[in-house]
Amino acid sequence: MKKIITVILVLVLVSSCKLIDQKDDEDQNGAVLPKDSTAVNDKDENGCLASAGYVWSKVNKECVKGFSGVQLNPIDKPDNEDETLSAYLMFNEAGDKAEIFLPKDTTSIVLTRATKGKPWVLKDWQLIPDKGYVLKKGSQSMFSGDGEMGKKVLDSDTEEQQ
């Protein structure tokens, strides 16, 4: 008899917890609300919020907005306004490492400079300081920029205020 009462009591408790959980998932009209899966899956392996534009910076060891660095436009489109076609550049505090976030690439590349005045290099990539910066792969110039941070407004001397 005690076993039956214990089993019934456990079943009542379990089913009441299930009802409470269902009530949390319903709005005031009784409609079931979908679970917010973006909150769970929105962070990358380093904890950066990808949907907010944050990526992991290898040189700064923190989540950064990749498009907040120095904008380098494609050589064939120097007046490019489409930020998704640009590469972005960030430096470490010492200035001996340059991190490049290439368009349509989820990872960055880190170039190293041996001494001041020399280009930053990684294999066939080179970042050359020249009235701003020129990013080359092999002998081909890929991107260039004026070295100023932030989005530019064409026909203006200042950055756009956001």
Side-chain angles (χ1 to χ4, degrees):
M1 183 70 173
K2 288 183 181 180
K3 288 182 182 182
I4 294 175
I5 292 175
T6 304
V7 169
I8 292 172
L9 185 59
V10 168
L11 289 174
V12 169
L13 287 173
V14 169
S15 63
S16 66
C17 289
K18 187 174 180 180
L19 288 174
I20 290 171
D21 286 344
Q22 279 181 333
K23 294 250 187 246
D24 289 344
D25 294 341
E26 295 177 0
D27 67 5
Q28 293 175 351
N29 299 326
V32 176
L33 300 172
K35 295 272 187 197
D36 185 9
S37 62
T38 57
V40 176
N41 297 326
D42 192 30
K43 293 185 177 182
D44 68 9
E45 64 274 2
N46 294 300
C48 301
L49 285 170
S51 66
Y54 286 93
V55 293
W56 182 253
S57 171
K58 296 172 187 171
V59 297
N60 293 311
K61 306 281 190 258
E62 64 182 348
C63 295
V64 297
K65 287 201 173 198
F67 53 85
S68 64
V70 175
Q71 184 173 351
L72 303 176
N73 289 326
I75 292 292
D76 59 343
K77 296 180 182 175
D79 294 330
N80 173 47
E81 291 189 33
D82 184 355
E83 294 176 345
T84 63
L85 299 177
S86 297
Y88 292 90
L89 167 64
M90 292 185 174
F91 296 98
N92 67 343
E93 207 169 298
D96 61 340
K97 293 190 186 295
E99 185 169 15
I100 309 290
F101 296 92
L102 295 169
K104 299 180 179 100
D105 199 345
T106 57
T107 61
S108 63
I109 58 173
V110 177
L111 293 82
T112 306
R113 178 166 71 172
T115 61
K116 191 171 183 172
K118 297 286 185 180
W120 292 263
V121 179
L122 175 70
K123 297 180 184 174
D124 57 345
W125 288 97
Q126 288 185 67
L127 179 66
I128 302 165
D130 178 34
K131 297 179 188 170
Y133 299 100
V134 176
L135 180 63
K136 295 174 94 174
K137 184 168 186 178
S139 62
Q140 183 179 4
S141 295
M142 305 289 289
F143 297 91
S144 68
D146 61 8
E148 298 293 322
M149 291 186 67
K151 183 179 177 186
K152 310 299 180 290
V153 177
L154 294 179
D155 301 323
S156 172
D157 292 338
T158 61
E159 291 181 17
E160 180 177 292
Q161 299 297 317
Q162 294 185 15

